[in-house]
Amino acid sequence: PGLAPDDIARAETIRFPLPAGGQDGHAFFYPPASLSYRGPADEKPPLIVMAHGGPTGRAGTAFSYKIQWWTSRGFAVVDVNYGGSTGFGRAYRRRLDGQWGVVDVADCIAACRHLVATGRVDPARIAMRGSSAGGLTVLLALAQSDLFAAGASLYGVTDLRALAQETHKFESRYLDRLVGPYPAAEDLYLARSPLARADAIRAPVLFLHGLDDAVVPPGQARDMVAALAANAVPHAHYEFAGEGHGFRRAETIRRALELELDFYGRVFGFTVPDVAERVILRPADETP
């Protein structure tokens, strides 16, 4: 309701070459869409790379306000179905077996490079966002590649060892297939954890986390924030009372989206009008 057809970004299926070769990666690309506004004719749009959760879930093409929020504000979006995603055959799904934190990261970077190479987005204004398992992919991508000017981790995994020890019973052995048996493969869990790669991150990062999260406890974000703060990496960290793993309350969703939009504005150099709260980016902002 209230949206004209030209206000809605529609998914374009894209395939892109994978680093290992032999097969293509899969993603959905959404250009900016607005009936009332257009970006400068001489500029390519900024890009938001989305890494879905799961990690063995998938991105689909159903109408999503989460995507339209960004495309209606001038961003292009690429929603990546990295290796391990369902819907592309068993071989594609099994690419993530034992390779979580490797294949997903490489595929998201490859999708990003494809869009830059084909001239569809501004290579200087690329952000990456992900929730839960996608948050791990975001943080590892920031540590591995200088393509990204910013990242946002929503209740994201930062310490795989802690996840193996603390997560709920339903997913307690999920990581055995994605990483390796724990604690026998503890060294691998450490190597794949963003917390162990924090020294390689230089881009600003936004963390959003529910205080009642029993799947990825809020301490995971706090530890990562402390590691970035020790290296004077710009960051912002917000916690939400009464929220668990995934935000449910309308006021939380609204606040989280506005904070994230303002965060990208700070990084990319534009002012976001009419937001209820400005993001506090440390160490740049002195306000406690």
Side-chain angles (χ1 to χ4, degrees), residues 194-234:
L195 191 59
R197 304 284 303 278
D199 287 350
I201 296 177
R202 292 293 175 265
V205 187
L206 172 68
F207 295 89
L208 304 171
H209 216 109
L211 285 173
D212 296 340
D213 193 338
V215 180
V216 180
Q220 292 237 355
R222 293 171 190 163
D223 290 344
M224 193 72 188
V225 166
L228 295 182
N231 293 329
V233 175

mmCIF file of all heavy atoms in Angstrom, residues 194-234:
data_model
loop_
_atom_site.group_PDB
_atom_site.id
_atom_site.type_symbol
_atom_site.label_atom_id
_atom_site.label_comp_id
_atom_site.label_asym_id
_atom_site.label_seq_id
_atom_site.Cartn_x
_atom_site.Cartn_y
_atom_site.Cartn_z
ATOM 1 N N PRO A 194 35.788 -14.163 13.418
ATOM 2 C CA PRO A 194 36.139 -12.753 13.206
ATOM 3 C C PRO A 194 36.920 -12.153 14.370
ATOM 4 O O PRO A 194 37.772 -11.284 14.166
ATOM 5 C CB PRO A 194 34.769 -12.089 13.056
ATOM 6 C CG PRO A 194 33.891 -13.148 12.506
ATOM 7 C CD PRO A 194 34.357 -14.418 13.172
ATOM 8 N N LEU A 195 36.641 -12.610 15.589
ATOM 9 C CA LEU A 195 37.346 -12.063 16.747
ATOM 10 C C LEU A 195 38.853 -12.254 16.629
ATOM 11 O O LEU A 195 39.638 -11.399 17.067
ATOM 12 C CB LEU A 195 36.819 -12.737 18.019
ATOM 13 C CG LEU A 195 37.236 -12.117 19.350
ATOM 14 C CD1 LEU A 195 36.796 -10.658 19.440
ATOM 15 C CD2 LEU A 195 36.643 -12.917 20.508
ATOM 16 N N ALA A 196 39.274 -13.362 16.023
ATOM 17 C CA ALA A 196 40.700 -13.618 15.828
ATOM 18 C C ALA A 196 41.276 -12.824 14.655
ATOM 19 O O ALA A 196 42.492 -12.749 14.505
ATOM 20 C CB ALA A 196 40.945 -15.112 15.608
ATOM 21 N N ARG A 197 40.404 -12.238 13.822
ATOM 22 C CA ARG A 197 40.845 -11.478 12.646
ATOM 23 C C ARG A 197 40.603 -9.982 12.816
ATOM 24 O O ARG A 197 40.690 -9.220 11.853
ATOM 25 C CB ARG A 197 40.091 -11.979 11.405
ATOM 26 C CG ARG A 197 40.217 -13.478 11.138
ATOM 27 C CD ARG A 197 41.569 -13.835 10.554
ATOM 28 N NE ARG A 197 41.819 -13.089 9.344
ATOM 29 C CZ ARG A 197 41.334 -13.438 8.143
ATOM 30 N NH1 ARG A 197 40.544 -14.489 8.040
ATOM 31 N NH2 ARG A 197 41.634 -12.726 7.083
ATOM 32 N N ALA A 198 40.265 -9.561 14.018
ATOM 33 C CA ALA A 198 39.891 -8.159 14.244
ATOM 34 C C ALA A 198 41.006 -7.189 13.862
ATOM 35 O O ALA A 198 40.741 -6.075 13.400
ATOM 36 C CB ALA A 198 39.492 -7.959 15.708
ATOM 37 N N ASP A 199 42.250 -7.601 14.028
ATOM 38 C CA ASP A 199 43.373 -6.710 13.712
ATOM 39 C C ASP A 199 43.436 -6.354 12.236
ATOM 40 O O ASP A 199 44.072 -5.364 11.860
ATOM 41 C CB ASP A 199 44.699 -7.355 14.130
ATOM 42 C CG ASP A 199 44.885 -7.371 15.644
ATOM 43 O OD1 ASP A 199 44.076 -6.721 16.333
ATOM 44 O OD2 ASP A 199 45.811 -8.045 16.131
ATOM 45 N N ALA A 200 42.800 -7.151 11.373
ATOM 46 C CA ALA A 200 42.850 -6.893 9.926
ATOM 47 C C ALA A 200 41.718 -5.986 9.460
ATOM 48 O O ALA A 200 41.693 -5.586 8.289
ATOM 49 C CB ALA A 200 42.796 -8.221 9.167
ATOM 50 N N ILE A 201 40.775 -5.651 10.328
ATOM 51 C CA ILE A 201 39.639 -4.805 9.942
ATOM 52 C C ILE A 201 40.009 -3.341 10.120
ATOM 53 O O ILE A 201 40.499 -2.937 11.180
ATOM 54 C CB ILE A 201 38.387 -5.156 10.774
ATOM 55 C CG1 ILE A 201 37.941 -6.589 10.481
ATOM 56 C CG2 ILE A 201 37.254 -4.164 10.490
ATOM 57 C CD1 ILE A 201 36.755 -7.047 11.311
ATOM 58 N N ARG A 202 39.751 -2.558 9.077
ATOM 59 C CA ARG A 202 40.001 -1.118 9.121
ATOM 60 C C ARG A 202 38.750 -0.305 8.813
ATOM 61 O O ARG A 202 38.672 0.871 9.168
ATOM 62 C CB ARG A 202 41.121 -0.749 8.146
ATOM 63 C CG ARG A 202 42.498 -1.284 8.545
ATOM 64 C CD ARG A 202 42.992 -0.607 9.812
ATOM 65 N NE ARG A 202 44.257 -1.164 10.295
ATOM 66 C CZ ARG A 202 44.357 -2.113 11.208
ATOM 67 N NH1 ARG A 202 43.243 -2.631 11.737
ATOM 68 N NH2 ARG A 202 45.519 -2.569 11.616
ATOM 69 N N ALA A 203 37.767 -0.892 8.136
ATOM 70 C CA ALA A 203 36.550 -0.177 7.775
ATOM 71 C C ALA A 203 35.650 -0.018 9.003
ATOM 72 O O ALA A 203 35.641 -0.872 9.897
ATOM 73 C CB ALA A 203 35.797 -0.934 6.678
ATOM 74 N N PRO A 204 34.870 1.052 9.068
ATOM 75 C CA PRO A 204 33.927 1.230 10.187
ATOM 76 C C PRO A 204 32.890 0.117 10.222
ATOM 77 O O PRO A 204 32.446 -0.374 9.177
ATOM 78 C CB PRO A 204 33.273 2.581 9.867
ATOM 79 C CG PRO A 204 34.217 3.278 8.945
ATOM 80 C CD PRO A 204 34.869 2.197 8.146
ATOM 81 N N VAL A 205 32.477 -0.253 11.436
ATOM 82 C CA VAL A 205 31.525 -1.350 11.620
ATOM 83 C C VAL A 205 30.422 -0.917 12.581
ATOM 84 O O VAL A 205 30.686 -0.291 13.609
ATOM 85 C CB VAL A 205 32.202 -2.616 12.172
ATOM 86 C CG1 VAL A 205 31.213 -3.784 12.183
ATOM 87 C CG2 VAL A 205 33.440 -2.988 11.359
ATOM 88 N N LEU A 206 29.175 -1.267 12.232
ATOM 89 C CA LEU A 206 28.018 -1.063 13.101
ATOM 90 C C LEU A 206 27.571 -2.409 13.653
ATOM 91 O O LEU A 206 27.416 -3.370 12.898
ATOM 92 C CB LEU A 206 26.885 -0.419 12.308
ATOM 93 C CG LEU A 206 25.527 -0.311 13.005
ATOM 94 C CD1 LEU A 206 25.583 0.674 14.170
ATOM 95 C CD2 LEU A 206 24.435 0.096 12.010
ATOM 96 N N PHE A 207 27.339 -2.462 14.970
ATOM 97 C CA PHE A 207 26.847 -3.674 15.625
ATOM 98 C C PHE A 207 25.476 -3.389 16.235
ATOM 99 O O PHE A 207 25.308 -2.419 16.978
ATOM 100 C CB PHE A 207 27.800 -4.122 16.731
ATOM 101 C CG PHE A 207 29.154 -4.540 16.251
ATOM 102 C CD1 PHE A 207 30.183 -3.611 16.133
ATOM 103 C CD2 PHE A 207 29.414 -5.861 15.905
ATOM 104 C CE1 PHE A 207 31.438 -3.988 15.689
ATOM 105 C CE2 PHE A 207 30.667 -6.250 15.459
ATOM 106 C CZ PHE A 207 31.685 -5.311 15.341
ATOM 107 N N LEU A 208 24.500 -4.254 15.933
ATOM 108 C CA LEU A 208 23.150 -4.168 16.491
ATOM 109 C C LEU A 208 22.808 -5.533 17.082
ATOM 110 O O LEU A 208 22.911 -6.547 16.386
ATOM 111 C CB LEU A 208 22.139 -3.788 15.402
ATOM 112 C CG LEU A 208 22.427 -2.494 14.625
ATOM 113 C CD1 LEU A 208 21.468 -2.360 13.439
ATOM 114 C CD2 LEU A 208 22.315 -1.275 15.533
ATOM 115 N N HIS A 209 22.383 -5.568 18.358
ATOM 116 C CA HIS A 209 22.223 -6.866 19.018
ATOM 117 C C HIS A 209 21.113 -6.796 20.054
ATOM 118 O O HIS A 209 20.955 -5.801 20.764
ATOM 119 C CB HIS A 209 23.534 -7.261 19.708
ATOM 120 C CG HIS A 209 23.829 -8.723 19.651
ATOM 121 N ND1 HIS A 209 24.834 -9.268 18.889
ATOM 122 C CD2 HIS A 209 23.230 -9.779 20.263
ATOM 123 C CE1 HIS A 209 24.864 -10.575 19.032
ATOM 124 N NE2 HIS A 209 23.891 -10.914 19.877
ATOM 125 N N GLY A 210 20.323 -7.854 20.159
ATOM 126 C CA GLY A 210 19.288 -7.973 21.181
ATOM 127 C C GLY A 210 19.862 -8.493 22.483
ATOM 128 O O GLY A 210 20.682 -9.418 22.492
ATOM 129 N N LEU A 211 19.429 -7.914 23.600
ATOM 130 C CA LEU A 211 19.969 -8.309 24.897
ATOM 131 C C LEU A 211 19.483 -9.683 25.339
ATOM 132 O O LEU A 211 20.092 -10.304 26.211
ATOM 133 C CB LEU A 211 19.591 -7.265 25.949
ATOM 134 C CG LEU A 211 20.378 -5.954 25.887
ATOM 135 C CD1 LEU A 211 19.798 -4.933 26.871
ATOM 136 C CD2 LEU A 211 21.853 -6.200 26.201
ATOM 137 N N ASP A 212 18.390 -10.167 24.742
ATOM 138 C CA ASP A 212 17.855 -11.477 25.126
ATOM 139 C C ASP A 212 18.217 -12.573 24.121
ATOM 140 O O ASP A 212 17.575 -13.629 24.104
ATOM 141 C CB ASP A 212 16.326 -11.399 25.249
ATOM 142 C CG ASP A 212 15.883 -10.473 26.365
ATOM 143 O OD1 ASP A 212 16.704 -10.189 27.269
ATOM 144 O OD2 ASP A 212 14.723 -10.017 26.341
ATOM 145 N N ASP A 213 19.223 -12.335 23.317
ATOM 146 C CA ASP A 213 19.605 -13.291 22.280
ATOM 147 C C ASP A 213 20.246 -14.522 22.920
ATOM 148 O O ASP A 213 21.308 -14.437 23.533
ATOM 149 C CB ASP A 213 20.586 -12.626 21.314
ATOM 150 C CG ASP A 213 20.793 -13.419 20.029
ATOM 151 O OD1 ASP A 213 20.541 -14.639 20.031
ATOM 152 O OD2 ASP A 213 21.209 -12.821 19.020
ATOM 153 N N ALA A 214 19.588 -15.681 22.777
ATOM 154 C CA ALA A 214 20.114 -16.929 23.317
ATOM 155 C C ALA A 214 20.854 -17.749 22.267
ATOM 156 O O ALA A 214 21.513 -18.731 22.598
ATOM 157 C CB ALA A 214 18.978 -17.759 23.901
ATOM 158 N N VAL A 215 20.743 -17.368 20.996
ATOM 159 C CA VAL A 215 21.422 -18.093 19.918
ATOM 160 C C VAL A 215 22.847 -17.577 19.761
ATOM 161 O O VAL A 215 23.822 -18.338 19.759
ATOM 162 C CB VAL A 215 20.639 -17.959 18.599
ATOM 163 C CG1 VAL A 215 21.347 -18.704 17.474
ATOM 164 C CG2 VAL A 215 19.223 -18.486 18.765
ATOM 165 N N VAL A 216 22.975 -16.257 19.606
ATOM 166 C CA VAL A 216 24.277 -15.595 19.584
ATOM 167 C C VAL A 216 24.248 -14.574 20.716
ATOM 168 O O VAL A 216 23.735 -13.460 20.549
ATOM 169 C CB VAL A 216 24.547 -14.895 18.232
ATOM 170 C CG1 VAL A 216 25.915 -14.226 18.241
ATOM 171 C CG2 VAL A 216 24.457 -15.900 17.088
ATOM 172 N N PRO A 217 24.748 -14.927 21.885
ATOM 173 C CA PRO A 217 24.647 -14.033 23.040
ATOM 174 C C PRO A 217 25.296 -12.666 22.772
ATOM 175 O O PRO A 217 26.235 -12.555 21.972
ATOM 176 C CB PRO A 217 25.398 -14.793 24.131
ATOM 177 C CG PRO A 217 25.308 -16.226 23.728
ATOM 178 C CD PRO A 217 25.355 -16.216 22.228
ATOM 179 N N PRO A 218 24.783 -11.604 23.412
ATOM 180 C CA PRO A 218 25.297 -10.251 23.159
ATOM 181 C C PRO A 218 26.773 -10.078 23.464
ATOM 182 O O PRO A 218 27.413 -9.157 22.956
ATOM 183 C CB PRO A 218 24.416 -9.356 24.045
ATOM 184 C CG PRO A 218 23.721 -10.272 24.995
ATOM 185 C CD PRO A 218 23.625 -11.597 24.331
ATOM 186 N N GLY A 219 27.320 -10.955 24.290
ATOM 187 C CA GLY A 219 28.752 -10.880 24.571
ATOM 188 C C GLY A 219 29.612 -11.039 23.330
ATOM 189 O O GLY A 219 30.750 -10.550 23.289
ATOM 190 N N GLN A 220 29.088 -11.726 22.312
ATOM 191 C CA GLN A 220 29.859 -11.892 21.071
ATOM 192 C C GLN A 220 30.113 -10.532 20.418
ATOM 193 O O GLN A 220 31.219 -10.240 19.954
ATOM 194 C CB GLN A 220 29.109 -12.818 20.117
ATOM 195 C CG GLN A 220 29.019 -14.247 20.596
ATOM 196 C CD GLN A 220 29.599 -15.246 19.598
ATOM 197 O OE1 GLN A 220 30.002 -14.913 18.498
ATOM 198 N NE2 GLN A 220 29.641 -16.492 20.002
ATOM 199 N N ALA A 221 29.090 -9.686 20.354
ATOM 200 C CA ALA A 221 29.277 -8.350 19.784
ATOM 201 C C ALA A 221 30.173 -7.502 20.675
ATOM 202 O O ALA A 221 31.047 -6.772 20.189
ATOM 203 C CB ALA A 221 27.930 -7.669 19.579
ATOM 204 N N ARG A 222 29.978 -7.593 21.981
ATOM 205 C CA ARG A 222 30.774 -6.780 22.909
ATOM 206 C C ARG A 222 32.253 -7.088 22.792
ATOM 207 O O ARG A 222 33.098 -6.195 22.813
ATOM 208 C CB ARG A 222 30.297 -7.017 24.339
ATOM 209 C CG ARG A 222 28.887 -6.510 24.616
ATOM 210 C CD ARG A 222 28.409 -6.971 25.976
ATOM 211 N NE ARG A 222 26.987 -6.703 26.174
ATOM 212 C CZ ARG A 222 26.253 -7.280 27.109
ATOM 213 N NH1 ARG A 222 26.787 -8.191 27.932
ATOM 214 N NH2 ARG A 222 24.971 -6.971 27.225
ATOM 215 N N ASP A 223 32.601 -8.372 22.655
ATOM 216 C CA ASP A 223 34.014 -8.743 22.532
ATOM 217 C C ASP A 223 34.615 -8.188 21.246
ATOM 218 O O ASP A 223 35.763 -7.725 21.229
ATOM 219 C CB ASP A 223 34.158 -10.262 22.559
ATOM 220 C CG ASP A 223 33.865 -10.858 23.926
ATOM 221 O OD1 ASP A 223 33.840 -10.091 24.914
ATOM 222 O OD2 ASP A 223 33.643 -12.083 24.012
ATOM 223 N N MET A 224 33.838 -8.224 20.154
ATOM 224 C CA MET A 224 34.335 -7.702 18.888
ATOM 225 C C MET A 224 34.482 -6.187 18.949
ATOM 226 O O MET A 224 35.457 -5.629 18.426
ATOM 227 C CB MET A 224 33.381 -8.110 17.754
ATOM 228 C CG MET A 224 33.948 -7.904 16.370
ATOM 229 S SD MET A 224 35.231 -9.118 15.993
ATOM 230 C CE MET A 224 35.856 -8.477 14.437
ATOM 231 N N VAL A 225 33.537 -5.527 19.584
ATOM 232 C CA VAL A 225 33.619 -4.073 19.747
ATOM 233 C C VAL A 225 34.878 -3.706 20.527
ATOM 234 O O VAL A 225 35.600 -2.760 20.168
ATOM 235 C CB VAL A 225 32.354 -3.540 20.456
ATOM 236 C CG1 VAL A 225 32.556 -2.113 20.946
ATOM 237 C CG2 VAL A 225 31.154 -3.616 19.517
ATOM 238 N N ALA A 226 35.159 -4.440 21.589
ATOM 239 C CA ALA A 226 36.352 -4.163 22.388
ATOM 240 C C ALA A 226 37.622 -4.346 21.561
ATOM 241 O O ALA A 226 38.580 -3.555 21.681
ATOM 242 C CB ALA A 226 36.387 -5.065 23.614
ATOM 243 N N ALA A 227 37.649 -5.367 20.705
ATOM 244 C CA ALA A 227 38.828 -5.605 19.866
ATOM 245 C C ALA A 227 39.019 -4.483 18.857
ATOM 246 O O ALA A 227 40.147 -4.032 18.620
ATOM 247 C CB ALA A 227 38.691 -6.947 19.150
ATOM 248 N N LEU A 228 37.931 -4.002 18.253
ATOM 249 C CA LEU A 228 38.043 -2.898 17.297
ATOM 250 C C LEU A 228 38.424 -1.604 18.008
ATOM 251 O O LEU A 228 39.214 -0.809 17.486
ATOM 252 C CB LEU A 228 36.732 -2.724 16.537
ATOM 253 C CG LEU A 228 36.307 -3.878 15.629
ATOM 254 C CD1 LEU A 228 35.004 -3.536 14.910
ATOM 255 C CD2 LEU A 228 37.392 -4.224 14.616
ATOM 256 N N ALA A 229 37.861 -1.378 19.204
ATOM 257 C CA ALA A 229 38.187 -0.174 19.959
ATOM 258 C C ALA A 229 39.669 -0.134 20.311
ATOM 259 O O ALA A 229 40.298 0.926 20.283
ATOM 260 C CB ALA A 229 37.335 -0.103 21.222
ATOM 261 N N ALA A 230 40.239 -1.298 20.617
ATOM 262 C CA ALA A 230 41.662 -1.358 20.954
ATOM 263 C C ALA A 230 42.532 -0.959 19.776
ATOM 264 O O ALA A 230 43.673 -0.485 19.965
ATOM 265 C CB ALA A 230 42.023 -2.766 21.418
ATOM 266 N N ASN A 231 42.009 -1.119 18.561
ATOM 267 C CA ASN A 231 42.749 -0.738 17.357
ATOM 268 C C ASN A 231 42.297 0.600 16.790
ATOM 269 O O ASN A 231 42.714 0.972 15.689
ATOM 270 C CB ASN A 231 42.568 -1.820 16.282
ATOM 271 C CG ASN A 231 43.227 -3.133 16.673
ATOM 272 O OD1 ASN A 231 44.225 -3.141 17.374
ATOM 273 N ND2 ASN A 231 42.638 -4.238 16.236
ATOM 274 N N ALA A 232 41.444 1.319 17.538
ATOM 275 C CA ALA A 232 40.927 2.629 17.122
ATOM 276 C C ALA A 232 40.188 2.568 15.791
ATOM 277 O O ALA A 232 40.219 3.516 15.004
ATOM 278 C CB ALA A 232 42.053 3.665 17.073
ATOM 279 N N VAL A 233 39.523 1.432 15.512
ATOM 280 C CA VAL A 233 38.704 1.301 14.313
ATOM 281 C C VAL A 233 37.342 1.931 14.589
ATOM 282 O O VAL A 233 36.710 1.617 15.601
ATOM 283 C CB VAL A 233 38.531 -0.178 13.921
ATOM 284 C CG1 VAL A 233 37.577 -0.327 12.747
ATOM 285 C CG2 VAL A 233 39.876 -0.795 13.588
ATOM 286 N N PRO A 234 36.852 2.824 13.730
ATOM 287 C CA PRO A 234 35.543 3.439 13.960
ATOM 288 C C PRO A 234 34.445 2.387 14.059
ATOM 289 O O PRO A 234 34.370 1.474 13.237
ATOM 290 C CB PRO A 234 35.349 4.338 12.732
ATOM 291 C CG PRO A 234 36.741 4.604 12.233
ATOM 292 C CD PRO A 234 37.512 3.350 12.520
#
